[in-house]
Amino acid sequence: MQILVIEDDKRISDFLVKGLEENGHLLTLCKSAEEVLANYTTLPWDIIICDIMLPKMDGIQLVQTLRYKKVNCPIIMLSALNSTQDKVAALDSGADDYLTKPFHFDELISRINALARRNQLNAVEERFNIRTFNDLQIDFDQFRVSLNNQDVKLSPREYKLLIYLVENKDRAVSRTQILNAVWGLNFDNQTNVVDVYISYLRSKIENANNKFIYTVKGVGYIFKS
């Protein structure tokens, strides 16, 4: 893993760098919060290990700033302070774990591995909430649709229609089923509103290289990719 260590005590930083490198990790060492903010906030860290007692800006202020800058990787705080209030302050600032000095190195490795596993599971869950069909991408968390990496502006009804078709991918659905799911049971089933909105949707998510919505004669429509 790529690990950023922020520690100004040379004895402790040498101990951390040596031990983590021996465990196969790649280390970058900073001695101040200012150095981190000037050079390292845009790099893809797997774990950040940060001491609380730093010169000038302290570790808690640094973590708050990193979270504000959307640095979302797991952060372990190190401190000689071991009161409940100190731990609460560190965790409330945005840290994921807190380890009191002195500590056993095996415990640090165990906590690093636990946070890495949790982060991987979160990443998998996030990927499941984004589905891709050729050049079409749907982000279910943010209600966003894009085609060829360009945002597609859909009305709430168009979006609901698209999601219903996607949820029934490779399965033909009738106009009545679509009406019930997208407009509600009491909607007039003699209307051609489904065909109209299918046309709207096709014009926005399909092009010469991407066709998704197919007409099934005598039935309705089917979404394929």
Side-chain angles (χ1 to χ4, degrees), residues 25-88:
H25 301 300
L26 301 175
L27 269 293
T28 298
L29 175 64
C30 290
K31 296 181 179 180
S32 70
E34 290 74 20
E35 184 182 356
V36 174
L37 296 177
N39 301 292
Y40 297 110
T41 59
T42 60
L43 299 179
W45 304 108
D46 295 302
I47 298 281
I48 293 175
I49 300 173
C50 181
D51 187 26
I52 286 183
M53 303 301 291
L54 296 172
K56 298 183 181 179
M57 179 186 287
D58 66 30
I60 288 179
Q61 293 172 313
L62 173 59
V63 170
Q64 291 172 330
T65 304
L66 291 175
R67 294 311 192 206
Y68 177 77
K69 291 179 174 291
K70 307 301 182 185
V71 177
N72 295 319
C73 72
I75 298 176
I76 300 175
M77 301 293 289
L78 304 179
S79 177
L81 307 173
N82 62 0
S83 73
T84 299
Q85 185 177 358
D86 295 322
K87 295 177 182 178
V88 168

Side-chain angles (χ1 to χ4, degrees), residues 12-35:
I12 296 175
S13 64
D14 287 348
F15 167 70
L16 289 171
V17 169
K18 181 177 183 295
L20 291 169
E21 287 182 343
E22 286 178 352
N23 277 267
H25 301 300
L26 301 175
L27 269 293
T28 298
L29 175 64
C30 290
K31 296 181 179 180
S32 70
E34 290 74 20
E35 184 182 356

Side-chain angles (χ1 to χ4, degrees), residues 98-182:
Y98 186 101
L99 195 55
T100 303
K101 301 176 184 177
F103 53 85
H104 291 287
F105 194 79
D106 287 345
E107 182 179 3
L108 175 61
I109 291 296
S110 179
R111 291 176 184 241
I112 288 173
N113 291 337
L115 286 174
R117 286 194 299 272
R118 189 178 75 186
N119 210 39
Q120 288 170 354
L121 287 173
N122 290 340
V124 169
E125 290 175 359
E126 288 174 6
R127 286 197 296 273
F128 280 137
N129 288 329
I130 297 176
R131 297 187 64 182
T132 301
F133 309 94
N134 298 338
D135 297 321
L136 180 71
Q137 187 176 81
I138 304 172
D139 186 327
F140 288 82
D141 286 336
Q142 299 188 35
F143 304 99
R144 289 180 58 190
V145 177
S146 61
L147 184 66
N148 294 318
N149 296 317
Q150 299 294 318
D151 283 347
V152 176
K153 302 298 182 184
L154 298 181
S155 70
R157 193 74 67 181
E158 290 167 346
Y159 180 80
K160 191 173 181 179
L161 173 59
L162 174 60
I163 297 307
Y164 180 72
L165 293 172
V166 167
E167 288 175 344
N168 290 278
K169 182 176 178 290
D170 298 324
R171 183 169 62 194
V173 288
S174 69
R175 289 174 175 82
T176 300
Q177 287 175 305
I178 295 172
L179 274 173
N180 290 341
V182 180

